[in-house]
Amino acid sequence: MKRLILAEKPSVAKDLSKVLGANQKHKNYYEGPQVIVTWALGHLLGLKMPEDINKEWQSWQMETLPMIPKQLGIKPLPKTGHQLKAIKHLAQRKDVSEAVIATDAGREGELVARWILEWVRFDKPVKRLWISSQTDKAIKDGFAQLKPAKQYDNLYQSAIARAKADWLVGLNVTRALTVKYQDNLSAGRVQTPTLALVRQQERQIETFRPQTYFVIELEVAGERARLVQKNPQAIKEQQAAQQLVKQMNSNGRVLSVVEKTKTETAPLPYDLTEIQREANQRYDFSAKKTLSLVQSLYENHKIVTYPRTDSKYLTNDMKSTMRERLQAVSDFAPEVKGYLKNGALVQQKAVFNDTKVSDHHALLPTEQKANYAKLTSDEQRIYNMIVARFLMLFAAPHKKVQQKATVAFGEHRFIFTQNKVIEAGWKGQEEQKSSAVSWKEGMTVAPNFTIKKELTSPPKPLNEGTLLGKMEKFSLGTPATRAEIIEKLIKSELMERTPAGLQVSPKGKQLLELVNPSLVSPELTEKWEKQLEAIAKGQFSSQGFLQQIEKDTQQLVKEIKHSEQKYQDFSLTQKKCPDCGELLREKNTRDGKIYVCSNNECSYRRRKDPKISNHRCPQCHKKMEIIEGKNGSYFRCKFDGTTEKVPTKNERKKKMTKHEERRLVKKYSQQEEPQESPLAAALKAAMEKK
């Protein structure tokens, strides 16, 4: 009898099959003496759409809202039906005795597998593979410790509750807004409060008014300290600052000199959100790009652990793996050999905490050595970040002696701070400035003051790193979904990436005015997310959660129906449709900006800007535009005005390819065979006569 193993992707199935000896490759699976390894392609099934449940819900009408089905079924996704059929056929084989869920070890991975097993009506025992890295060793260890799938039922209930909640809130609110305001307005349980966070920051910038304030500095032998105040911006007038300086005209006195040894332990390893934030800050990587790079290091190169983690801690049983992980990165930095000689002893003891690891531990390098030649430059950057943070766990704490000298001029205080590093530890060597002053209690200080005029600075726009931090603070989404939410907001034209940071589009600003205040505020979504976490831990009922979601959905739709908000479509232009006369609407697409008719019954559309082709101008050799003319398409150079006809399909076929050009050039450039000279021919004939 054989085990049917279900992986999430073909690449993962290939890795599993190698370790498990499934060497027979078929179109949809691998097979070996004891196992059959097949794969999903992400989600093969999804929740039914409204029109699949009720024919009345096919047309978008306010009268049919809210849509609250008694049963939300699942259906195959159209493009991956072939793989689902193949899995069903394998599941029904008589030599299959049990199944093993080997999809991603997380909420979405659990949903992918459970829906497939439900669809194919699998009625045999099911086990769960739960691993945090894709190395051969991790796979072997994981299969030696398979657990009954029932242990993960709560995780599945959390996943399905999340999917149904997104269906109920997202589809109902989006339909209500779109029907009421006659424009495509997309809202959702997580994406709308995320958009609101960006807008909130923008409002702070828009309402900001710079204010002038004055600070008083005391200088002693080249060292400077500012006047200590509860509010550093309290002095608004220069005259008030000058008056204070007059009051402190006589010599001051050192009240106290206090020295303290400060110890700073190394930071904990990365979770996904922190590495996304830091990669955005260092390299301007989007959250989606960082996730993709870490996923590649995990899945393809097998040199880092599971990326979609929300923990920065490790379990106690991982202490025994530290030496192997260090050996795998032994050539990363000179100090690694010292850590190995020291017995791979972790100095940051707090990192081992079983109670702070839920599904997965922090991001770490695996026991497999990296082949740097196979890594892209961006993959290497992310890998270096993960390894450098990991190595900090083995370094000594950073220690410094901090000296604080408090100087008093009457009631006013100035504090001079001097730091001296006594052990660099995980921070490495730092450049230090030696103090020119030998502070002693009771010594007198001359009144050498300077008044400086300063200006308050505005808050900065949110970038992807700072937005991820706010999403984490309010529990908006999970580490696995936050990048996807940001991309969805940009794709739906509610938010834009700019060189300065993230910016809410005019359409996005309108949406936040029209959508329900309770959905704009992160508090409601934060409550939902915490309830989903509680469901995964078996501490909350999924049924109770969905009943509350249904009530919230009814209230949200009711509020939109009775709203008196006015809508202005910022995408409408003053250009008229040549077919029906209605105004044209500007839309962003992957292929650039286009104009579409605002009349839903009219199909007119055209490009806003000409399409840039790969065809080069014969004069300046720059790429030419494709212009749609009355007599067909033609190429035009926007730099010198040169035009050329766009060849038809038959003309393109007749045109010689570069390969054919090279072949003909080679043929005719070969030296002709030397012809026989008359003398040589005569000699040859004479020899033949003999």
Side-chain angles (χ1 to χ4, degrees):
M1 300 299 282
K2 296 183 179 182
R3 277 177 173 167
L4 177 63
I5 297 161
L6 178 59
E8 192 157 331
K9 298 176 185 175
S11 58
V12 177
K14 187 178 179 181
D15 295 335
L16 296 175
S17 64
K18 284 179 183 176
V19 176
L20 301 171
N23 300 320
Q24 295 175 32
K25 186 181 178 184
H26 299 270
K27 185 180 178 182
N28 303 99
Y29 63 97
Y30 297 90
E31 188 164 359
Q34 297 176 319
V35 294
I36 301 166
V37 185
T38 188
W39 57 85
L41 297 161
H43 281 280
L44 300 183
L45 295 133
L47 290 172
K48 287 182 178 179
M49 296 307 288
E51 56 271 22
D52 301 321
I53 301 167
N54 188 334
K55 287 183 181 179
E56 290 181 5
W57 294 347
Q58 190 162 0
S59 58
W60 289 37
Q61 297 175 344
M62 196 66 86
E63 295 76 29
T64 60
L65 299 176
M67 303 173 291
I68 311 286
K70 290 180 181 178
Q71 185 66 35
L72 257 176
I74 55 175
K75 68 170 187 175
L77 299 180
K79 294 182 181 179
T80 53
H82 62 283
Q83 187 62 23
L84 188 60
K85 284 179 183 176
I87 295 171
K88 186 174 183 178
H89 173 72
L90 293 170
Q92 291 172 345
R93 275 176 48 167
K94 290 181 180 179
D95 60 344
V96 169
S97 61
E98 66 177 13
V100 176
I101 297 174
T103 49
D104 278 359
R107 192 163 75 181
E108 284 307 300
E110 197 68 23
L111 192 63
V112 167
R114 295 293 188 106
W115 273 355
I116 290 170
L117 294 175
E118 181 185 326
W119 181 261
V120 303
R121 296 182 180 176
F122 193 80
D123 57 358
K124 297 164 189 175
V126 182
K127 291 181 179 174
R128 189 43 158 122
L129 173 73
W130 196 271
I131 54 176
S132 289
S133 63
Q134 290 287 336
T135 62
D136 291 359
K137 182 180 181 296
I139 292 169
K140 285 176 184 175
D141 290 348
F143 272 94
Q145 300 171 40
L146 291 174
K147 295 172 183 176
K150 283 186 177 180
Q151 289 189 16
Y152 299 90
D153 281 353
N154 289 330
L155 186 67
Y156 169 58
Q157 290 302 324
S158 173
I160 201 164
R162 194 275 313 156
K164 288 180 178 179
D166 285 346
W167 192 102
L168 288 164
V169 176
L171 288 183
N172 277 292
V173 173
T174 296
R175 279 200 179 196
L177 289 168
T178 301
V179 171
K180 187 173 179 74
Y181 301 108
Q182 293 298 300
D183 193 9
N184 183 21
L185 295 168
S186 173
R189 186 179 62 86
V190 179
Q191 71 177 58
T192 303
T194 300
L195 184 70
L197 290 174
V198 181
R199 183 66 191 132
Q200 187 181 14
Q201 187 77 0
E202 284 182 345
R203 284 200 188 96
Q204 288 180 14
I205 296 167
E206 289 164 3
T207 57
F208 174 80
R209 297 291 177 269
Q211 291 185 341
T212 303
Y213 65 98
F214 295 86
V215 294
I216 300 169
E217 284 188 348
L218 170 65
E219 184 180 344
V220 180
E223 292 188 31
R224 292 177 177 270
R226 291 191 170 190
L227 175 66
V228 177
Q229 297 179 99
K230 285 183 180 179
N231 178 10
Q233 300 166 9
I235 306 173
K236 303 293 184 185
E237 303 292 334
Q238 188 171 10
Q239 191 176 352
Q242 289 170 343
Q243 191 66 33
L244 263 176
V245 169
K246 280 184 182 179
Q247 291 175 17
M248 301 184 289
N249 198 27
S250 56
N251 284 342
R253 186 171 65 87
V254 177
L255 281 183
S256 63
V257 180
V258 179
E259 285 192 354
K260 281 186 180 178
T261 301
K262 293 202 166 186
T263 302
E264 194 177 344
T265 54
L268 295 168
Y270 290 113
D271 62 6
L272 177 59
T273 301
E274 191 184 359
I275 198 168
Q276 286 174 317
R277 291 177 64 188
E278 203 162 307
N280 178 258
Q281 187 181 352
R282 284 195 201 181
Y283 309 119
D284 202 28
F285 288 173
S286 69
K288 184 181 178 182
K289 180 174 182 176
T290 301
L291 175 56
S292 176
L293 291 168
V294 187
Q295 189 74 25
S296 176
L297 294 171
Y298 163 72
E299 200 173 288
N300 301 331
H301 302 287
K302 305 176 187 13
I303 53 177
V304 303
T305 56
Y306 186 73
R308 297 166 189 258
T309 177
D310 61 354
S311 179
K312 298 180 181 181
Y313 292 85
L314 309 176
T315 54
N316 279 291
D317 60 4
M318 293 182 68
K319 289 177 182 177
S320 60
T321 70
M322 294 295 109
R323 176 175 282 279
E324 284 183 87
R325 295 179 198 275
L326 269 181
Q327 286 170 339
V329 295
S330 57
D331 56 350
F332 186 83
E335 58 265 25
V336 180
K337 289 179 182 177
Y339 299 155
L340 284 165
K341 283 181 182 176
N342 195 31
L345 187 66
V346 172
Q347 301 285 340
Q348 171 61 296
K349 307 286 186 189
V351 74
F352 296 108
N353 190 330
D354 293 351
T355 62
K356 294 192 176 181
V357 179
S358 50
D359 293 340
H360 293 281
H361 57 69
L363 258 173
L364 294 181
T366 64
E367 301 92 334
Q368 189 159 309
K369 210 173 183 68
N371 184 346
Y372 289 100
K374 290 187 176 180
L375 300 182
T376 65
S377 59
D378 287 344
E379 283 174 341
Q380 192 157 336
R381 281 173 167 176
I382 297 296
Y383 182 64
N384 289 351
M385 286 174 68
I386 294 168
V387 175
R389 182 65 77 91
F390 167 68
L391 292 178
M392 288 178 186
L393 296 176
F394 301 89
H398 178 76
K399 290 183 181 179
K400 64 184 178 185
V401 174
Q402 188 177 76
Q403 183 193 70
K404 282 188 177 182
T406 304
V407 180
F409 284 83
E411 295 177 356
H412 304 291
R413 304 285 185 270
F414 295 83
I415 298 174
F416 290 83
T417 304
Q418 179 71 31
N419 292 315
K420 183 181 179 183
V421 176
I422 53 175
E423 189 174 1
W426 61 272
K427 279 193 173 182
Q429 292 299 325
E430 294 177 345
E431 191 177 334
Q432 296 185 70
K433 290 181 180 179
S434 56
S435 176
V437 185
S438 179
W439 297 101
K440 289 180 182 176
E441 196 173 313
M443 69 183 280
T444 57
V445 177
N448 185 10
F449 298 110
T450 307
I451 297 172
K452 282 189 175 180
K453 181 181 177 181
E454 295 194 354
L455 204 65
T456 54
S457 54
K460 292 180 180 178
L462 294 183
N463 55 35
E464 287 198 41
T466 48
L467 177 58
L468 284 167
K470 283 185 175 286
M471 290 174 78
E472 185 177 40
K473 179 184 175 183
F474 290 106
S475 300
L476 296 180
T478 65
T481 60
R482 285 174 190 140
E484 185 186 332
I485 291 159
I486 293 170
E487 292 301 322
K488 190 175 179 180
L489 286 167
I490 292 166
K491 192 176 178 182
S492 57
E493 299 179 23
L494 299 172
M495 191 167 76
E496 299 163 355
R497 283 189 181 98
T498 71
L502 295 171
Q503 183 177 302
V504 179
S505 68
K507 184 177 180 178
K509 291 173 187 175
Q510 277 271 307
L511 177 73
L512 292 172
E513 295 296 324
L514 302 172
V515 82
N516 317 68
S518 58
L519 200 58
V520 170
S521 168
E523 279 76 19
L524 180 61
T525 302
E526 184 180 11
K527 182 187 84 172
W528 287 338
E529 285 292 340
K530 286 181 177 176
Q531 287 174 346
L532 287 170
E533 286 176 24
I535 293 168
K537 293 173 183 174
Q539 298 167 355
F540 196 73
S541 160
S542 61
Q543 191 177 354
F545 171 78
L546 287 170
Q547 284 173 354
Q548 185 59 51
I549 288 285
E550 287 177 6
K551 286 180 184 176
D552 290 338
T553 300
Q554 288 170 339
Q555 181 62 29
L556 291 168
V557 170
K558 185 180 177 182
E559 287 173 6
I560 294 168
K561 282 182 177 181
H562 295 99
S563 172
E564 295 182 1
Q565 290 276 6
K566 301 296 180 187
Y567 178 65
Q568 179 185 350
D569 187 352
F570 286 96
S571 66
L572 274 180
T573 67
Q574 294 307 305
K575 298 180 184 295
K576 291 191 176 180
C577 172
D579 291 351
C580 70
E582 292 292 326
L583 293 176
L584 294 177
R585 180 179 282 132
E586 187 178 301
K587 281 188 75 175
N588 287 323
T589 68
R590 288 182 182 179
D591 208 22
K593 291 186 176 180
I594 63 167
Y595 288 128
V596 297
C597 184
S598 57
N599 179 0
N600 292 332
E601 295 178 3
C602 180
S603 58
Y604 179 81
R605 61 191 288 141
R606 68 177 169 85
R607 295 184 63 86
K608 180 185 178 184
D609 300 313
K611 188 175 182 179
I612 304 297
S613 72
N614 287 321
H615 186 74
R616 299 279 180 174
C617 172
Q619 304 298 325
C620 67
H621 306 293
K622 291 180 179 176
K623 289 183 178 181
M624 301 178 81
E625 297 174 335
I626 299 177
I627 306 297
E628 303 290 337
K630 290 182 180 178
N631 298 321
S633 303
Y634 62 93
F635 295 119
R636 184 187 72 186
C637 179
K638 66 177 179 180
F639 300 99
D640 59 25
T642 303
T643 60
E644 280 188 10
K645 184 185 172 187
V646 175
T648 63
K649 283 185 180 179
N650 290 333
E651 287 171 336
R652 284 199 294 271
K653 284 181 182 177
K654 288 179 184 178
K655 189 179 177 183
M656 193 178 293
T657 64
K658 289 184 178 180
H659 176 71
E660 289 171 328
E661 282 179 11
R662 285 196 296 269
R663 186 170 57 79
L664 288 172
V665 167
K666 187 177 179 182
K667 180 179 176 181
Y668 291 109
S669 64
Q670 287 177 348
Q671 290 185 349
E672 294 182 359
E673 292 182 10
Q675 293 181 349
E676 200 171 35
S677 68
L679 177 60
L683 285 170
K684 186 178 178 183
M687 291 295 289
E688 285 175 352
K689 286 179 181 179
K690 287 182 178 181

